[in-house]
Amino acid sequence: MQTRLARLYAKGDLRIEAAEVLEPGPGEVLLKMAAAGICGSDLHYYQDGGFGPVRVREPIIPGHEAAGIVEKAGEGVPLKAGTLVAVNPSQPCGHCEYCQKGMPIHCLEMRFMGSAMRLPHEQGMFREWLVVPAKQCFEAGPETSAAEAACSEPLSVCLHAASRAGEIRGKRVLVTGAGPIGSLMVAVVKHHGAAEIVVTDLADAALERAVAMGATRAVNVSQGAGALAEFEAGKGYFDLVFECSAAAPAIRGAIATVKPRGTIVQVGVSGEVPVPLNAIVAKELHIHGTQRFHEEFATAVALISSRAIDVRPIISHSLPLAQADAAFLLAGDRSAACKVQLTF
Ligand code: ZN
């Protein structure tokens, strides 16, 4: 059997090709893919050929936010044909120093689907048919759409970011950047019982989605940092910031508006960005990095399946695989799109 897939050869050079699909072996399943989201990293590969030190150095099938329907289960796999599953793209080795210490996110041999971080690149899920280990498949609820299930991966990222923040209940929270991750971050913070959730972005369309996801107030900062001046008074207003933009002005704004000994979780990723170290020191801030997720994936699928977190407001467009180029261009237009997904 053949599958159609999207393969990126270099910046802007995305080709729809065909490849052979093998039978699922023991412990594997064959999935008919149903929805796959374009993430910021996929977009960076397409627009810029990579981000920071991560470069596309050989052809790669992008895509790590996907859901599919079980077509055929290999030996020893209990999943029934017709079951909708979200695919966890994370494949830690299970036996390196960090896996042994219970930190599989920091696995030394991590194979993360659709990632150009290591060579050879790990191939991803922008493809019609996929054989994958069943342990990476998480069953979605009967009422869940494939589009929702495919948001399990970015929601996992936000659940893990929340776990880095300490107590959220009752806190005043700022979320900077209202793209898909920022908007899901808002929903997670609301789920954890934040008292106030202020969200910032440069685009009104993005802010509207973040409000639909639970933000109590949206601030457009396109006219400059003055928009947050009220929150800087008296050494700051917020207990906690989730910085989802990786933009220097947003990071400066976060540091200026968080209270002394407050916490900033840096979710957005970029190369080198200037940061006012003096203010971090003087305010005695806690700055936490966060990346990816592990046990949060199962939680994300459960939260989406029960609609305890309703991800539907962020899904803005679905395009067939044949229009992958158009989908990538749309995903890069923040005034029009939020989460753009491919369908198969
Ligand atoms: Zn490992």
Side-chain angles (χ1 to χ4, degrees):
M1 188 171 73
Q2 296 258 303
T3 182
R4 288 179 309 139
L5 53 80
R7 187 177 275 134
L8 184 71
Y9 281 77
K11 169 181 166 178
D13 182 5
L14 187 70
R15 305 180 199 171
I16 307 299
E17 297 180 336
E20 195 64 28
V21 181
L22 302 175
E23 284 287 302
E28 293 182 333
V29 315
L30 171 64
L31 300 177
K32 171 78 167 70
M33 301 310 286
I38 296 175
C39 169
S41 62
D42 301 318
L43 196 56
H44 284 303
Y45 295 157
Y46 180 84
Q47 290 178 331
D48 311 318
F51 54 92
V54 180
R55 314 306 304 179
V56 173
R57 289 163 285 170
E58 62 180 7
I60 182 171
I61 304 168
H64 57 268
E65 308 177 352
I69 292 165
V70 175
E71 175 78 8
K72 190 173 178 185
E75 191 188 321
V77 174
L79 289 166
K80 287 193 177 62
T83 305
L84 174 66
V85 296
V87 183
N88 184 345
S90 177
Q91 306 172 88
C93 77
H95 45 71
C96 72
E97 178 187 348
Y98 292 100
C99 283
Q100 296 266 312
K101 281 181 179 163
M103 292 193 279
I105 287 171
H106 300 289
C107 174
L108 296 171
E109 301 296 330
M110 173 62 84
R111 294 169 55 221
F112 198 92
M113 296 174 81
S115 169
M117 205 167 277
R118 287 157 53 98
L119 263 182
H121 297 341
E122 204 58 40
Q123 301 301 317
M125 297 189 275
F126 286 166
R127 42 189 295 145
E128 189 175 12
W129 296 96
L130 175 72
V131 174
V132 70
K135 67 179 181 187
Q136 288 175 247
C137 297
F138 291 74
E139 188 171 343
E143 307 297 319
T144 312
S145 67
E148 290 170 86
C151 293
S152 300
E153 198 274 352
L155 182 59
S156 304
V157 168
C158 297
L159 291 169
H160 183 65
S163 80
R164 303 281 293 137
E167 184 64 41
I168 294 174
R169 183 162 302 280
K171 297 281 175 70
R172 291 171 174 171
V173 180
L174 174 66
V175 176
T176 52
I181 289 290
S183 294
L184 290 170
M185 203 66 242
V186 165
V188 167
V189 166
K190 183 186 177 199
H191 180 71
H192 283 300
E196 272 181 69
I197 310 166
V198 177
V199 63
T200 63
D201 200 279
L202 306 172
D204 285 333
L207 290 168
E208 282 166 26
R209 285 198 181 85
V211 169
M213 295 299 282
T216 50
R217 188 169 157 196
V219 179
N220 188 318
V221 288
S222 57
Q223 300 306 313
L228 290 176
E230 66 179 284
F231 300 113
E232 293 179 22
K235 286 200 173 186
Y237 183 83
F238 299 106
D239 304 299
L240 178 56
V241 182
F242 290 93
E243 204 298 298
C244 301
S245 74
I251 296 169
R252 278 198 303 276
I255 292 168
T257 57
V258 73
K259 286 177 177 173
R261 296 192 182 166
T263 296
I264 299 175
V265 179
Q266 184 63 41
V267 188
V269 64
S270 173
E272 293 182 22
V273 177
V275 169
L277 209 53
N278 59 320
I280 295 173
V281 170
K283 281 187 160 182
E284 301 188 291
L285 300 183
H286 305 274
I287 312 259
H288 297 290
T290 180
Q291 78 149 356
R292 297 181 177 166
F293 50 83
H294 184 65
E295 64 273 20
E296 293 88 357
F297 196 87
T299 310
V301 177
L303 289 169
I304 286 174
S305 294
S306 66
R307 292 216 175 112
I309 290 182
D310 186 348
V311 297
R312 288 174 294 179
I314 71 158
I315 304 166
S316 62
H317 297 82
S318 294
L319 279 82
L321 178 64
Q323 295 175 34
D325 267 304
F328 270 87
L329 292 174
L330 195 52
D333 179 0
R334 299 195 69 241
S335 67
C338 187
K339 180 56 72 186
V340 178
Q341 294 181 334
L342 294 173
T343 56
F344 305 91

